[in-house]
Amino acid sequence: MPRKLIAGNWKMNCLKAEGIALARELGVRYAQDSDPEYDLLVCPPFPLIDAVAQAIAGSGVMLGAQDCHPGEKGAHTGDVAAPMLADLGCTHVIVGHSERRQDHKELDLEVAEKAKAVVRAGMTPIICIGETEEQRDAGETLTVCARQIAGSVADGLSSDTLVIAYEPVWAIGTGRTPTTADVAEVHALIRAELSRKVTDAENVAILYGGSVKPGNAEELMHVPNVDGALVGGASLAADDFWSIAQSSR
Ligand code: PGA
């Protein structure tokens, strides 16, 4: 079984002082845990990455980013390359989050290219997939997720260079979550589809994301094939994020 991963996606939140305080608090708690049994990851916005790296140094908390450009360097104003993130100590990069697919019209092929760039830079991509409410209502959840796995997961990856996050778009930031049976069904489908792409699909961590809170984490984190969480809103409060992480044990 993959080791559990609890990842905080801070999105476009936190000024420097708040981000440092949050990261320090998590670092202190994680460092005091003698056998955490799970990995803890924080993904701050780009301008805070270096400061957060210093705040969590030596604590065991890992650092990630929320996006990157597929290229290595060059004339791409405003973009950030994967090697720059690795250089600051990032181990993970979220790619293909539904907010990027929506706001920046990212398509599966570009997501796959970003994932490859992340791996080339020595880090692990967290590739996000998930259906919209319309697609769920039309009974298309499994086909959409299978299509996104086929298109967004670059070939040649293995469990140590790949994390998947299943995030139903309609569950993100809404307080609504699928039933545990629905989560189990989609995660089983994802694992099966991954076996067409990677040789050790059984070891790939598949996270659930979308309105994970202290009140529902225990239940969600123990659904078969759920290997952790990608947490947005609740990752901005140390107590809530910590409580979610404890629920994964
Ligand atoms: P949420 O966001 O926990 O605020 O729903 C999750 C995500 O988008 O990663």
Side-chain angles (χ1 to χ4, degrees):
M1 279 235 296
R3 186 173 160 90
K4 287 243 159 76
L5 172 64
I6 307 299
N9 174 10
W10 294 6
K11 308 192 179 184
M12 199 172 70
N13 294 293
C14 288
L15 296 181
K16 192 169 164 188
E18 288 168 90
I20 291 174
L22 174 57
R24 267 206 196 118
E25 179 63 33
L26 294 169
V28 167
R29 293 190 196 193
Y30 193 76
Q32 280 168 356
D33 198 334
S34 57
D35 185 15
E37 298 171 39
Y38 59 86
D39 291 327
L40 199 66
L41 171 72
V42 290
C43 302
F46 292 134
L48 299 194
I49 287 180
D50 201 22
V52 167
Q54 291 167 40
I56 57 175
S59 69
V61 175
M62 298 188 297
L63 183 64
Q66 301 171 18
D67 181 46
C68 69
H69 189 277
E72 231 161 79
K73 59 177 177 178
H76 300 286
T77 304
D79 278 316
V80 172
M84 298 170 178
L85 300 169
D87 189 39
L88 294 180
C90 287
T91 54
H92 292 73
V93 182
I94 299 169
V95 294
H97 190 282
S98 64
E99 286 152 13
R100 298 217 48 98
R101 291 179 190 259
Q102 268 166 9
D103 297 354
H104 301 272
K105 311 279 174 284
E106 283 186 15
L107 300 174
D108 284 337
L109 185 63
E110 187 179 0
V111 175
E113 289 302 315
K114 289 183 176 197
K116 279 197 238 169
V118 171
V119 174
R120 270 199 307 273
M123 301 177 291
T124 301
I126 300 176
I127 301 177
C128 300
I129 62 162
E131 81 287 359
T132 62
E133 183 153 37
E134 220 178 11
Q135 290 165 332
R136 172 159 288 259
D137 290 345
E140 292 168 4
T141 299
L142 298 182
T143 22
V144 167
C145 290
R147 194 173 62 224
Q148 288 180 330
I149 292 279
S152 303
V153 177
D155 291 326
L157 303 183
S158 64
S159 65
D160 45 344
T161 52
L162 174 62
V163 173
I164 300 290
Y166 168 56
E167 299 203 307
V169 178
W170 54 272
I172 295 176
T174 59
R176 296 162 57 206
T177 52
T179 64
T180 50
D182 287 341
V183 174
E185 185 184 32
V186 178
H187 278 238
L189 173 277
I190 292 171
R191 184 128 5 242
E193 292 300 318
L194 281 175
S195 63
R196 300 168 192 265
K197 288 266 178 184
V198 298
T199 47
D200 61 342
E202 69 281 5
N203 296 324
V204 175
I206 306 174
L207 315 184
Y208 168 78
S211 293
V212 178
K213 306 275 182 251
N216 60 20
E218 171 98 47
E219 193 178 41
L220 287 165
M221 292 305 102
H222 292 92
V223 171
N225 287 307
V226 171
D227 307 306
L230 182 56
V231 186
S235 73
L236 297 171
D239 284 345
D240 286 353
F241 191 51
W242 189 251
S243 154
I244 290 167
Q246 298 313 303
S247 306
S248 72
R249 287 171 185 267

